[in-house]
Amino acid sequence: MTFNVTKITKTSSSFELRTWDPEGVIFYGDTNPNDDWFMLGLRDGRPEIQLHNHWAQLTVGAGPRLDDGRWHQVEVKTDGDSVLLGVDGEEVLRLRQVSGPPAGKAQPVIKIALGGLLFPPSNLRLPLVPALDGCLRHDVWLGQRAQSSASIRTSTRSCAVESQPGVFFPPGAHAEFSLQGIPQPHAEPWAFSLELGLQLASGAGHLLALGTPENSPWLSLHLQDQKVALLSGSGPGLDLSLVSGLPLQLKMDMSRVALSQGLKEEVLALPPLGHEPLSNLWAQPQGYLFLGAVPGEVSSASFCLNGLWAQGQRLDVDQALSRSQDIWTHSCPQSLGNGTDTSH
């Protein structure tokens, strides 16, 4: 959004925000990204203002946690040389002697970006992960109502859907993690483990795979008709009927792979040295853990996770090597159906 300073009639912006995400950019504004910019974001769930201009350069956090999945009213206002931040009708921060008339331009333009930045994240005074999984509504910017209210992320999912904490993969979504950032299988005795906090699932397609982009996955979990099929190499596989809300666990040693959920367990015997191809993936620079669709796959699978652990290490989708922009990184619909795709 762009605003001509000479036509601005109100020096405040307000909106309602709902998020489960503890870190990210709510909005960014500037007249010059080099020497006159402002950012409102969240860090550890609390509002943070970063500001850089001719009068002040500062980073300040204040106010209550906003990452509780509830709607919160937020207002940012310029009053003389001060900037005020209000949350749910209460002033939580007042910064004095930090603002003044625009300098160096006769008629500067103010640019505002929602849920992101107009310069590299490293240019922030205190870097944070910019992407914020959340929703805005009833937003008014410098006295002008926004044309439409939608997700403040790059996707356009409906904000009318009730949400819960988690990570949601709509059909076809994917995230890739380099195995260089995931602990190798234990050596003595050899062992490898995965755990998926699978809350909801529907459709057909990959949940997870280990392999390289060029070849078929060596180990994969595939969703089909409320069952999870485990495939290892080119040999036979096994399947397990899903129960919503229970962790799905995979444990592998030198002689077998076990897939379990609650009290149910299915076991697949491995041939001698059958574990070596998995171990060798860590020696390859192109060894990946794929979450969701694998390269080239047309998938109808959608699912919600409340966590993913590899070798006991929790994986953060925000830190993935690459990922689809329509993934809900910190929220899930309470049920799969209307409104859980990525379009209105």
Side-chain angles (χ1 to χ4, degrees):
M1 296 181 289
T2 59
F3 302 86
N4 189 318
V5 170
T6 63
K7 296 181 180 180
I8 292 174
T9 59
K10 192 175 182 181
T11 59
S12 65
S13 297
S14 63
F15 51 86
E16 291 184 15
L17 169 72
R18 184 185 71 187
T19 186
W20 295 100
D21 193 341
E23 182 172 328
V25 175
I26 300 173
F27 80 90
Y28 163 94
D30 73 36
T31 63
N32 184 321
N34 295 318
D35 56 24
D36 185 17
W37 57 264
F38 175 96
M39 189 279 298
L40 175 66
L42 295 180
R43 191 186 301 273
D44 297 325
R46 301 182 188 278
E48 177 176 286
I49 286 177
Q50 296 194 32
L51 181 151
H52 182 105
N53 59 32
H54 176 71
W55 296 271
Q57 297 88 44
L58 53 83
T59 299
V60 181
R65 292 195 71 122
L66 303 182
D67 58 339
D68 57 3
R70 300 177 180 177
W71 288 105
H72 293 277
Q73 176 71 33
V74 179
E75 181 179 25
V76 178
K77 181 179 180 180
T78 301
D79 183 12
D81 67 357
S82 300
V83 172
L84 286 64
L85 174 65
V87 175
D88 295 329
E90 295 187 11
E91 183 181 308
V92 298
L93 180 64
R94 179 182 290 258
L95 301 173
R96 301 181 187 276
Q97 297 181 321
V98 298
S99 182
K105 289 186 179 180
Q107 295 183 349
V109 170
I110 294 178
K111 293 174 289 184
I112 293 180
L114 307 185
L117 301 167
L118 299 179
F119 58 31
S122 58
N123 287 12
L124 288 170
R125 293 179 50 79
L126 185 61
L128 50 66
V129 176
L132 183 70
D133 174 7
C135 287
L136 290 182
R137 69 181 184 187
H138 307 322
D139 42 330
V140 178
W141 302 97
L142 299 173
Q144 301 181 36
R145 184 169 295 279
Q147 294 297 313
S148 63
S149 294
S151 169
I152 61 177
R153 301 182 300 113
T154 53
S155 71
T156 56
R157 66 171 168 93
S158 172
C159 288
V161 176
E162 290 300 318
S163 64
Q164 59 185 334
V167 181
F168 176 60
F169 280 67
H174 62 88
E176 298 176 9
F177 297 86
S178 171
L179 292 183
Q180 304 303 312
I182 296 175
Q184 296 189 34
H186 297 297
E188 297 293 339
W190 192 94
F192 179 72
S193 66
L194 291 168
E195 181 174 323
L196 288 84
L198 196 61
Q199 296 291 93
L200 302 166
S202 68
H206 277 92
L207 287 174
L208 181 146
L210 289 160
T212 62
E214 298 80 16
N215 302 311
S216 298
W218 187 84
L219 182 72
S220 67
L221 297 177
H222 193 275
L223 178 66
Q224 178 77 49
D225 299 327
Q226 290 300 300
K227 291 184 178 181
V228 172
L230 183 149
L231 298 175
S232 175
S234 58
L238 59 81
D239 59 57
L240 186 73
S241 295
L242 281 178
V243 178
S244 296
L246 292 178
L248 182 66
Q249 296 180 319
L250 182 149
K251 294 182 179 180
M252 183 175 179
D253 60 27
M254 295 179 66
S255 61
R256 68 174 206 157
V257 184
L259 186 65
S260 64
Q261 193 180 36
L263 299 177
K264 295 188 303 179
E265 182 179 71
E266 297 289 340
V267 177
L268 177 67
L270 293 176
L273 304 179
H275 67 288
E276 286 196 346
L278 180 62
S279 289
N280 292 339
L281 287 177
W282 268 263
Q284 301 185 34
Q286 297 298 311
Y288 292 106
L289 185 153
F290 301 96
L291 191 56
V294 299
E297 178 186 14
V298 178
S299 171
S300 66
S302 60
F303 56 93
C304 173
L305 302 176
N306 64 8
L308 168 65
W309 294 263
Q311 294 291 83
Q313 174 179 300
R314 188 178 185 118
L315 302 186
D316 183 352
V317 174
D318 274 333
Q319 303 298 327
L321 196 63
S322 67
R323 66 174 177 87
S324 303
Q325 291 300 308
D326 53 358
I327 294 172
W328 304 12
T329 57
H330 289 82
S331 62
C332 285
Q334 293 187 355
S335 63
L336 298 183
N338 293 335
T340 58
D341 59 8
T342 55
S343 62
H344 287 292

